[in-house]
Amino acid sequence: MLTTPNRIRWQVDFESYDVLVVGGGLAGIRAAIAAVETNPRVRVGMVSKVYPMRSHTVSAEGGAAAALRPEDSYENHAFDTVKGSDYLADQDVVEAFVREAPVEIIQMEHWGCPWSRDDDGKISARPFGGMTTWRTCFAADKTGFHMLHAVFQTSLKYPQIQRHDEAFVTKLLVEDSRCVGVVALDMKTGRFDAITAKSVILATGGLGRVYAFTTNGNICTGDGMSLAYRAGVGLKDMEMVQFHPTGLPFTGILITEAVRGEGGYLLNNEGERFLKRYVPNKMELGPRDIISRAMITEFEEGRGFEGPHGKYLHLDVRHLGEKVIDRKLPFMRELGREFVGIDIVKEPIPVRPVQHYMMGGVDADISGATPMAGLYAAGECANVGLNGANRLGSNSLPECLVFGAAAGRAATEYASSVKPVTSNPVDALLWDEAHRVEVAFLEKKGGTERMGAIREEMQHEMDQGAGVFRTKEGLEKLIERLGGLRERFGRIKIEDSSRTFNTELTSAMELDFMLELSQTIAVTALARDESRGAHARRDYPERNDEKFLKHSLVFSRDAAKPRLEYRDVHLGDFKPQARTY
Amino acid sequence: MADKRITIEAARYDPDKDERPRLQSYEIPFYDDSMVVLDALNYIKSEVDGSLSYRWSCRMGICGSCGMMVNGTPKLTCNAFVRDYWPRPITVQPLNNFPIIRDLVIDMDDFMHKLKEIKPWIIRKQEIPLGAGEHRQTNDQIDDFRQFSQCINCMLCYAACPVYGLNNEFLGPAAIALARRYNLDSRDQGLKQRLPVLADNEGVWECSFVGECSVVCPKGVDPAKAIQQTKLDTTLRFVLPYGNRD
Amino acid sequence: MTAEAKAAAPREYPWRIPANWWLRNRHYFLYIAREFTVVPIALWLLWLLVEIKRAGDGRAHYAPHGSTALVVFSVITLLFALYHSYTFLSLAGVIIHVKVLDRPVPSRVIVLAQFALWAVASVVVGFALIWFAR
């Protein structure tokens, strides 16, 4: 191990992995297991900035969709997904997804996931937004929790998987345009490690914390997206941000779509099931983007309730009865009691649209491969082309499984075909990165800006400028504000000079990532002069297939505005039509 | 809510500077009735002292990160309401019974090791192929182990258990409850493989049924019940003829 | 990780349980009280063994120790024993899990059954002692 007079501690980890997974959530762990099952002799590393059972997968509630039942079909699931995406999904990817999803659900069942059952003992399914048949499998209303624990506990039986818990990745190691590993800060000791690998899979989840009002946990800061972006890989469809219709006011805690799936009603302050004016055929089971816009419109037209934390509407399940609620929605009852002080059996739940998921992400293909050799991406941090402009609820959990597994397999095959990484260039790269972090954060003297203030302003500006409805002026103002915040970020004050578990340092690095990603969202949203899926422009309310039936790609340019490109969508059997429900 | 204030006494420990942990006092606004202790810590870190270190993520009681001692009781700080303590000061310390890495952050490697020891995965004599579909299981069969499957690994139970505090070798409440979850799962056939670790002196037999683990568990897992039931089960297996069948 | 790296890792503050841990919480105190009951009960049983030995030396000359102090001690021990039995039997509902016709028997029923058995056993033993003492 090496030290300098400045007490930087760093070392190069010579135990080079074949596959290194960054992120310990559902996609990451699934990828690691898939790698080992493809080749039992493979050495897999897993780096996560938190212990895997803390990953935000754990908060997913509603369910995982798959065409398992005889009355369902791959074509049906594919069509619902493509229409839900407002035709921005790559249909070849969707085709592959709908075929693999049922396999993964069964695999999870074999690994112990306690799917809720029908009377005949087979896996049950519930209705969900935008799905034309009942295909959403569920484990009570804690599906993500049960899936994550099942897959994490299963991963413990593979000795080939070595974990580095609470290791914060600060940079990808790239040599000759090939990804050869990562630099990670070991939080317990403050040591910088270079962890080398023949292939790297990014599975770091979403970036909800760039918004003030989000369902996402503290750790959802888009790290993997920013790491890839800085390494020169494009980010795809960053303007597509999903707002979930039903979050609790003030905290933003998620109230699952399953509540509506089980028959809950959305009511305005006149007691009206107002969705009959927006999605009359699907009502509460319409897709998330349309319902969120409907709710905001109700607010704007004066039919929302006023509360101490802003406007809200009612989600009413009283008519379902206590038995159904305790059997199907027990966690919702607990959340209502603990965080709002209500019993959902007796009172309606206050809800409002809340940022929830990121359709945009690292440019990856159907096997999880990014344009950079040796770099793969899966799960929410990737955009493989599945969700297009709007994701249907209960497609994300199977997405993590299907593409996590695909990336695991592809990365393993790639690793068997390339030479191991040499330590010489890695040594220098590691020193550069450790030094960069030292200078940018730890050695900083005379900073004047409070990091918390910059972060809160960024989040507030994003809520205002890049929310459910966007305008040209709003986005331009947002870009300008973000520029100012970036400038102030250069002068932040870091009070924590400790080497041991320095969360102020990691928060600063996360804010650095988030400012960058906010900019990509704003810039791509400004450039897309149409409304499609979750991206709604008041000044361009219609969809423009001629100009914009394309994915946006945003690339980093040093000290300049990002570079934008567009790529055609892979169409298939489903030709774009008007999207009504 | 005009001008209400709350005092937080937070434990601080930086191995580079401190011989032992100390308490640092912060007086902050009590700005909303639904404010939780975690909100207070976030306010301190954001506005007053950026060097305060602690773990948190989901803020909705499902990730298990934010367990700490609040006025001497292990709690999830995302679910500990300031209004229940105000106007008296709130003391926040790292979980009992674990070594302290920094401030409110404890070393949980011992638990991660024990988690692996109990083999928390479905063990079958013969795997059924994926093509055969799912194992048939009823909701009633799931009810048999449902309670024990709710554990979020927050380790409040380990902080509450004086046996673990006196003897770190003890397997502990959460690990044993999770083992029982698998032992009771109709799809699992691995009970015999888990027995050596469970029926060990440092396994269930180290427990003397204090019961505090179940009192503090935020998800109602009732690990004390899991442990005592495991004691009874393993004893019957040992004592009854043909008790140790699969 | 190299040995060098391990050695340079920062020092964790080890946990040491305070000697007064059992005074910090009502539940801990009651637990220690429950565990402590074994001491007076053991002492009382030792005394009982002594009495049995003495009684075995001959009926005619046997007179049990009957000082007030011993009576008081017996009453205190009885209270401790009752406390122990009460806690033990109350917890039976947690330990014992049986299913009748595929439905789990509620723990309240199990606990009540335990107390009922205890009452019956106490009556039987008490009756036997009094009967054979005549």
Side-chain angles (χ1 to χ4, degrees), chain A residues 265-483:
Chain A
Y265 298 148
L266 269 172
L267 306 167
N268 60 19
N269 65 5
E270 292 168 4
E272 182 204 2
R273 277 180 79 188
F274 59 92
L275 288 172
K276 65 177 185 281
R277 289 184 274 110
Y278 300 88
V279 280
N281 291 332
K282 295 292 283 178
M283 293 297 283
E284 279 79 7
L285 289 178
R288 291 172 176 180
D289 54 339
I290 298 183
I291 296 187
S292 292
R293 283 195 287 275
M295 292 169 78
I296 301 289
T297 306
E298 291 295 297
F299 290 159
E300 288 173 351
E301 293 177 4
R303 290 186 292 277
F305 295 92
E306 289 287 345
H309 306 296
K311 297 190 170 63
Y312 63 93
L313 294 171
H314 274 167
L315 178 57
D316 195 353
V317 289
R318 290 173 294 183
H319 55 283
L320 297 181
E322 190 167 8
K323 264 188 94 175
V324 168
I325 291 175
D326 280 340
R327 168 56 76 184
K328 294 283 190 64
L329 304 169
F331 188 37
M332 296 305 110
R333 196 171 182 191
E334 197 186 307
L335 289 174
R337 207 183 50 238
E338 279 171 13
F339 292 99
V340 198
I342 62 164
D343 185 350
I344 67 175
V345 168
K346 303 197 184 97
E347 294 172 68
I349 313 168
V351 292
R352 51 176 290 125
V354 59
Q355 192 281 340
H356 177 62
Y357 178 84
M358 186 56 177
M359 274 74 71
V362 179
D363 179 21
D365 69 14
I366 197 174
S367 66
T370 68
M372 176 179 279
L375 185 64
Y376 297 79
E380 193 174 342
C381 82
N383 180 318
V384 298
L386 175 70
N387 300 307
N390 173 64
R391 173 177 73 78
L392 290 184
S394 71
N395 261 355
S396 175
L397 290 170
E399 175 189 11
C400 292
L401 295 172
V402 168
F403 297 102
R409 288 179 208 124
T412 303
E413 281 190 39
Y414 174 82
S416 65
S417 69
V418 289
K419 293 201 296 291
V421 180
T422 53
S423 73
N424 224 337
V426 168
D427 226 331
L429 292 169
L430 171 58
W431 157 241
D432 277 345
E433 175 61 5
H435 189 68
R436 176 190 77 88
V437 173
E438 286 280 316
V439 168
F441 302 109
L442 289 168
E443 303 276 302
K444 207 177 244 326
K445 301 267 183 287
T448 50
E449 298 280 350
R450 286 215 70 88
M451 186 163 49
I454 296 179
R455 183 171 53 230
E456 275 167 38
E457 275 187 52
M458 170 193 73
Q459 291 168 335
H460 175 74
E461 292 296 334
M462 286 296 286
D463 267 9
Q464 297 293 307
V468 172
F469 284 108
R470 295 132 179 216
T471 62
K472 177 161 171 283
E473 294 73 34
L475 288 165
E476 282 172 341
K477 185 171 111 172
L478 173 62
I479 292 171
E480 199 193 306
R481 292 277 165 87
L482 288 174

Side-chain angles (χ1 to χ4, degrees), chain A residues 38-65:
Chain A
T38 305
N39 175 3
R41 282 198 312 281
V42 81
R43 275 183 340 276
V44 179
M46 196 190 308
V47 178
S48 171
K49 68 180 179 183
V50 292
Y51 284 95
M53 58 280 196
R54 315 297 186 214
S55 303
H56 202 59
T57 310
V58 89
S59 68
E61 295 164 354

